[in-house]
Amino acid sequence: HEFIMISSIFTILDTLLRGPEWVDCIQASDMCNQNPYCSSRYRVMRQCLVGKEKEAMLDNNRECQAALEVLLVSPLYDCRCKRGMKKELQCLQNYWTIHMGLTEDMEDSSPYEPVAPNRHPDVFRLASISSGFHCPDAERNCNPCLDAAKACNLNNSCKRQRSTYIATCSKEDPNKGETCSKKRCHKALRLFLDRVPAEFSHRLLFCPCQTEGCAERRRQTIVPDCSYRDKEKPNCLELRRICRQDPLCRSRLADYIMNCWTTPHTVSTCPNQDNHQACLASYARLIGTEMTPNYVDSSFSNWTISPWCTCKGSGNQEEECLNFLQYFTDNTSCIHERGILYSGKIIKLNMPHHSHSHHIPSLCLLKQLAHQNRRFMIRQFMLHPR
């Protein structure tokens, strides 16, 4: 009986975890607009999110709260967006129309379609940025990042898009008296990463190094003097606040955290059963936003990534600031330790088989349930407040 009860519990949990089939948020918006009741509440909600007082409006305005309650049970609540879709920004704006006021005190869930778990976690392309790479020719001075640039130049699309963003990010902006226009630079970087196949772009971003010269070339890939650095370092919480005002930056930050962050107690080194490819893609898509990350120096053995921000002067918010910053600084095991090295070789890893491994699926399931269904609990609270 105990086995049957446990089995039934996990069947219910699995059903909850999968949830309903999602539609993209542009379709969901069209479906809502076809219903007069939903459409009128949708218009009200958009007005509630206009201007600097939107947080106060969502908290205190009864009309805004009533509109949100209706929309929480509409197709818009469970909608998602496809990465790289044609109307991605419009889709994300539709998503945040509802979700903007639901997660101010917690980390956002990703608005993008769910990432499939890695079906074969023991077989993938291996990129060890900090160790494990050896030059195939001992007599040759190896520089994988230089090789990555050469490979890019042999591909017309990669060469053209790379030349464009380097020129844009190196051009002075006389109107502002600055060395470059960061806004134009970010746009050019996003176009490069959206249009160039990952086999070229990821090879430039994640090339493994064993010398400082190689690591410095890797650090310079995104032209950091324009795209990354600024005159002053903002506080990381302020940078996060600015990022969360922009639907694209907010979405890609949430996607990065969901696909890359693991706690010290997590069994795997990456979410979604060691899906490192999803993490690398999410990291790359964050480049070209206000939260652009980069290597902080040219170290090849003890490297760190971070956005351009600091937690100095955080006062009583220092712990919150450091917790946010560690999504980048303490996340090397997922981003690079077993990421993708486009060397053309498939390496099979001998993963240890623990005797208690049959307990892992249930643990993962519970972790995912707690994380992915928190919005369900928020909806229930808002619809049935005590």
Side-chain angles (χ1 to χ4, degrees):
H1 293 290
E2 184 180 352
F3 174 78
I4 293 172
M5 181 165 37
I6 292 173
S7 188
S8 299
I9 289 171
F10 278 99
T11 300
I12 294 170
L13 289 176
D14 188 51
T15 302
L16 283 171
L17 181 62
R18 286 198 309 270
E21 288 294 321
W22 61 275
V23 296
D24 78 56
C25 296
I26 293 178
Q27 289 178 313
S29 177
D30 292 341
M31 291 166 66
C32 178
N33 286 329
Q34 290 171 11
N35 181 304
Y37 188 56
C38 183
S39 178
S40 62
R41 297 304 183 273
Y42 194 26
R43 285 196 299 273
V44 169
M45 196 64 202
R46 283 198 291 261
Q47 288 299 314
C48 295
L49 293 174
V50 174
K52 296 180 180 179
E53 303 299 323
K54 57 189 171 207
E55 285 84 5
M57 290 285 284
L58 290 170
D59 290 338
N60 304 318
N61 187 287
R62 290 186 178 180
E63 194 175 8
C64 293
Q65 292 175 347
L68 183 58
E69 286 185 13
V70 171
L71 295 175
L72 284 175
V73 291
S74 75
L76 281 160
Y77 178 77
D78 287 313
C79 71
R80 292 292 184 275
C81 300
K82 291 185 177 181
R83 296 166 186 83
M85 63 187 294
K86 271 189 176 182
K87 297 181 179 179
E88 182 179 346
L89 183 57
Q90 181 184 339
C91 185
L92 295 173
Q93 287 170 336
N94 291 348
Y95 175 89
W96 291 115
T97 298
I98 289 187
H99 293 267
M100 181 75 78
L102 296 180
T103 55
E104 289 303 316
D105 297 324
M106 62 182 76
E107 294 300 340
D108 294 324
S109 292
S110 173
Y112 292 104
E113 59 185 325
V115 170
N118 184 11
R119 301 294 181 189
H120 306 286
D122 60 335
V123 181
F124 43 78
R125 295 177 186 270
L126 180 70
S128 177
I129 270 196
S130 55
S131 64
F133 172 78
H134 298 286
C135 189
D137 185 351
E139 297 181 0
R140 189 168 73 93
N141 185 19
C142 270
N143 189 331
C145 295
L146 179 60
D147 294 340
K150 291 178 179 177
C152 177
N153 285 335
L154 293 175
N155 178 272
N156 289 335
S157 174
C158 186
K159 181 180 180 180
R160 182 174 64 255
Q161 295 292 339
R162 180 168 174 261
S163 297
T164 298
Y165 87 72
I166 289 176
T168 303
C169 297
S170 304
K171 190 180 297 183
E172 292 186 5
D173 187 356
N175 296 326
K176 295 186 177 180
E178 297 175 353
T179 54
C180 75
S181 169
K182 179 175 282 191
K183 185 176 181 180
R184 291 194 188 98
C185 176
H186 279 175
K187 183 177 180 180
L189 276 166
R190 292 197 304 270
L191 287 174
F192 170 77
L193 293 166
D194 286 345
R195 295 178 179 180
V196 173
E199 64 183 286
F200 297 106
S201 60
H202 285 193
R203 189 174 175 182
L204 287 164
L205 293 171
F206 307 117
C207 42
C209 291
Q210 287 194 323
T211 66
E212 286 191 4
C214 174
E216 176 61 15
R217 173 177 278 272
R218 182 178 65 201
R219 190 185 73 84
Q220 290 288 342
T221 296
I222 64 169
V223 195
D225 284 346
C226 182
S227 68
Y228 180 65
R229 297 175 61 89
D230 217 329
K231 294 176 182 177
E232 296 180 2
K233 268 191 177 182
N235 183 274
C236 293
L237 294 181
E238 173 62 13
L239 186 64
R240 182 182 67 174
R241 186 192 67 80
I242 293 171
C243 176
R244 294 180 79 175
Q245 297 298 313
D246 176 63
L248 189 67
C249 186
R250 184 171 191 165
S251 301
R252 294 188 175 188
L253 175 61
D255 203 47
Y256 163 78
I257 293 173
M258 182 164 286
N259 289 326
C260 294
W261 176 247
T262 54
T263 67
H265 307 293
T266 306
V267 176
S268 59
T269 56
C270 255
N272 303 306
Q273 298 179 21
D274 280 330
N275 193 332
H276 295 265
Q277 290 90 335
C279 175
L280 295 183
S282 295
Y283 174 93
R285 284 168 58 79
L286 198 52
I287 294 171
T289 69
E290 289 293 333
M291 198 59 68
T292 294
N294 198 28
Y295 304 92
V296 298
D297 54 36
S298 56
S299 172
F300 64 93
S301 59
N302 189 28
W303 50 267
T304 304
I305 62 163
S306 172
W308 182 255
C309 65
T310 180
C311 285
K312 291 180 181 178
S314 297
N316 59 5
Q317 291 184 300
E318 184 175 14
E319 184 179 359
E320 181 185 356
C321 185
L322 291 172
N323 286 339
F324 171 73
L325 189 57
Q326 74 177 1
Y327 286 135
F328 298 90
T329 57
D330 296 353
N331 205 16
T332 56
S333 62
C334 182
I335 294 176
H336 298 308
E337 195 172 301
R338 290 184 188 166
I340 303 173
L341 168 61
Y342 292 94
S343 61
K345 296 179 181 178
I346 299 292
I347 300 177
K348 179 166 182 169
L349 302 177
N350 294 317
M351 304 293 286
H353 295 281
H354 301 288
S355 59
H356 61 279
S357 62
H358 58 281
H359 293 299
I360 293 174
S362 60
L363 177 64
C364 292
L365 184 63
L366 289 171
K367 283 178 179 289
Q368 291 179 40
L369 180 66
H371 183 71
Q372 295 186 11
N373 284 290
R374 62 189 175 185
R375 292 177 301 169
F376 173 79
M377 292 184 284
I378 293 169
R379 173 167 58 174
Q380 293 304 305
F381 173 77
M382 295 194 70
L383 290 176
H384 307 287
R386 292 180 181 179

